[in-house]
Amino acid sequence: MNTAVMQTYARYDVTFEKGEGVYLFDTAGRRYLDFGSGIAVNSVGHCHPHLVAALKKQAETFWHCSNLYHIPDQQRLADRLTANSFADAVFFNNSGNEAVEMMAKIARKYQFENGHPERYRVISIAGAFHGRSLAMLAAGKQEKHLHGFGPQVDGFDQVAFGNLNEMRAAITAETAAILFEPVQGEGGIRPLDVDYVKALRAIADEYGLLLMADEVQTGIGRTGKLFGYQYFGVEPDVMALAKGLGGGFPVGATLATAKVASAMTPGSHGSTFGGNPLAMAVANAVLDIVLADGFLENVMATGKKLHTGMTQLVQKYPTLFKEVRGIGMHLGLRCQDKVVNGTVVVKAMANGLLVVPAGDNVVRLIPPMIITESHVNEAMAIMEKTCEDLLAEGAGG
Ligand SMILES: *Cc1c(COP(=O)(O)O)cnc(C)c1O
């Protein structure tokens, strides 16, 4: 398409003009079942009436107010996030990248304030994705993202997925923190082992490092618990949120324990838009829904039905798929080597279902968390048709 928009995205040939609940409608009026949620963002579906009302009310009150002044809705959201997590303090920003990058800043400042200015390096895990700023490219170390953007920002090391020996060996006198995603999202819905994360906590304690959870994708109920770290029986020191937190309104948050947060003093960090009243109003409305009785139980139960359905699909089409991974409504269908995940995504879209490709040849199913069993059945029917179409075209053979 000929456009003045910078050509950084390989976009699908479709344009949406309206969203309603679990559905998106394109400019031709065609309806799509949205199991991509704008990449885990539309956590409670499109144009949820409660979010629309909150946004409208705030839009008629005031839009922006500098962080030079108190913003009550920030305090309310911070109180609710901390009451429901390990954390004691929250900084609001505008995106996942910012939320994770601030964790790297916190790691340096915390070590600096505690007598270890030499500790500044962050260790991440292969397959990670932490955002696209220069520093977060260095944290993620994905060749395809770094290409042409060298030299890498200093201060980031990476170890093999799930390998504790490598993790221990990578720690030096300069290490400040360990950074992990409870389930790697862009990396292909790869959950970390419970024992592995428990060991990361122990290692961090042993060496005086911060354990930092990137929950930009897994946070706010996506995995069936409010936060992904809650599966591991240990708590991080710092956590980043974004995607699902605003339900479609851009917002990010960096959470920390009181001890860690005390390193961040007035003037040490800031954001013009961070904690904007519109974003706070919508994020509080998202929490109204996600924290309501029974909501997370439904994410778990309906997510399980989707998982079961996908498992049946893998059994029925073994030449197309290898396995289903993930938990809650954060699921990945791993394709066989001869099948390209992008082909499955395009074919599903042609059949009216939106899903999202991820690393490791995975097709992600990350629906709005308001889906019911009937949406699962609808998605399954479309996936079956998609598999038949793929086989008819000789895929997997
Ligand atoms: C999406 C994502 C990011 C980056 O978020 P942006 O809002 O695109 O900057 C960082 N970490 C994880 C785990 C993500 O899924």
Side-chain angles (χ1 to χ4, degrees):
M1 203 185 280
N2 199 4
T3 163
V5 175
M6 203 177 284
Q7 299 290 299
T8 60
Y9 301 104
R11 299 174 195 267
Y12 297 110
D13 193 17
V14 60
T15 306
F16 296 111
E17 62 175 10
K18 187 174 138 67
E20 206 179 281
V22 185
Y23 296 97
L24 274 174
F25 298 83
D26 72 11
T27 43
R30 183 157 182 233
R31 192 177 87 156
Y32 297 78
L33 181 63
D34 183 7
F35 270 40
S37 308
I39 316 192
V41 167
N42 300 105
S43 45
V44 294
H46 297 279
C47 299
H48 192 294
H50 186 61
L51 271 56
V52 172
L55 184 58
K56 274 188 174 162
K57 181 161 173 259
Q58 187 59 47
E60 287 162 357
T61 310
F62 64 104
W63 290 24
H64 178 74
C65 168
S66 168
N67 285 304
L68 290 167
Y69 314 105
H70 293 290
I71 300 177
D73 277 353
Q74 278 186 17
Q75 296 176 19
R76 178 155 179 261
L77 185 59
D79 285 346
R80 299 170 86 190
L81 289 172
T82 54
N84 288 283
S85 72
F86 72 93
D88 305 301
V90 187
F91 181 92
F92 292 109
N93 26 49
N94 309 286
S95 70
N97 188 122
E98 280 178 69
V100 189
E101 180 143 345
M102 192 200 178
M103 295 204 293
K105 282 188 73 175
I106 288 178
R108 291 186 180 194
K109 190 70 165 21
Y110 170 83
Q111 298 292 3
F112 178 88
E113 296 291 344
N114 285 279
H116 291 290
E118 77 284 4
R119 294 185 186 168
Y120 72 101
R121 306 192 70 84
V122 173
I123 304 177
S124 67
I125 296 169
F129 180 75
H130 298 299
R132 300 288 202 119
S133 67
L134 286 171
M136 291 303 99
L137 287 181
K141 299 224 186 300
Q142 302 264 2
E143 199 41 57
K144 62 178 192 269
H145 294 156
L146 282 162
H147 185 72
F149 294 103
Q152 269 185 56
V153 170
D154 182 36
F156 297 92
D157 303 302
Q158 194 167 72
V159 295
F161 185 92
N163 188 322
L164 283 173
N165 291 336
E166 261 200 40
M167 180 61 81
R168 283 182 175 280
I171 294 168
T172 70
E174 294 183 338
T175 305
I178 295 170
L179 172 61
F180 74 103
E181 294 160 81
V183 182
Q184 288 188 346
E186 303 305 309
I189 314 289
R190 295 206 296 169
L192 295 186
D193 270 350
V194 171
D195 289 344
Y196 177 78
V197 176
K198 280 197 160 83
L200 291 187
R201 177 72 270 173
I203 291 170
D205 291 341
E206 183 183 341
Y207 291 93
L209 315 178
L210 295 187
L211 186 61
M212 312 198 299
D214 178 347
E215 298 236 18
V216 168
Q217 189 160 146
T218 50
I220 312 298
R222 179 51 60 188
T223 66
K225 291 193 190 280
L226 191 57
F227 304 109
Y229 77 80
Q230 292 168 328
Y231 278 101
F232 302 114
V234 290
E235 294 177 340
D237 303 296
V238 198
M239 170 169 76
L241 302 174
K243 292 194 166 89
L245 177 60
F249 201 97
V251 61
T254 308
L255 291 77
T257 61
K259 180 165 181 243
V260 171
S262 68
M264 300 302 281
T265 46
S268 62
H269 195 57
S271 167
T272 297
F273 292 125
N276 167 288
L278 295 166
M280 296 299 99
V282 179
N284 269 307
V286 169
L287 282 195
D288 291 342
I289 297 168
V290 173
L291 294 177
D293 272 354
F295 185 88
L296 290 175
E297 285 79 357
N298 180 59
V299 175
M300 233 17 230
T302 308
K304 199 166 180 184
K305 283 176 183 143
L306 184 59
H307 192 292
T308 303
M310 288 300 146
T311 304
Q312 286 162 0
L313 203 73
V314 172
Q315 283 159 358
K316 188 163 173 193
Y317 300 99
T319 60
L320 298 179
F321 305 116
K322 285 184 178 171
E323 60 171 338
V324 187
R325 294 199 293 223
I327 190 151
M329 293 193 186
H330 192 233
L331 302 179
L333 196 52
R334 188 153 164 248
C335 301
Q336 290 288 3
D337 298 343
K338 284 185 182 167
V339 179
V340 180
N341 57 351
T343 309
V344 180
V345 171
V346 169
K347 189 59 80 182
M349 187 164 79
N351 287 324
L353 174 71
L354 302 178
V355 287
V356 185
D360 211 16
N361 209 17
V362 160
V363 174
R364 258 181 295 182
L365 294 115
I366 37 180
M369 297 183 288
I370 55 167
I371 60 163
T372 62
E373 189 170 357
S374 78
H375 298 119
V376 171
N377 294 338
E378 190 181 343
M380 289 312 305
I382 297 177
M383 282 306 291
E384 285 234 26
K385 162 97 169 61
T386 299
C387 290
E388 293 298 337
D389 290 352
L390 287 166
L391 289 182
E393 289 171 11

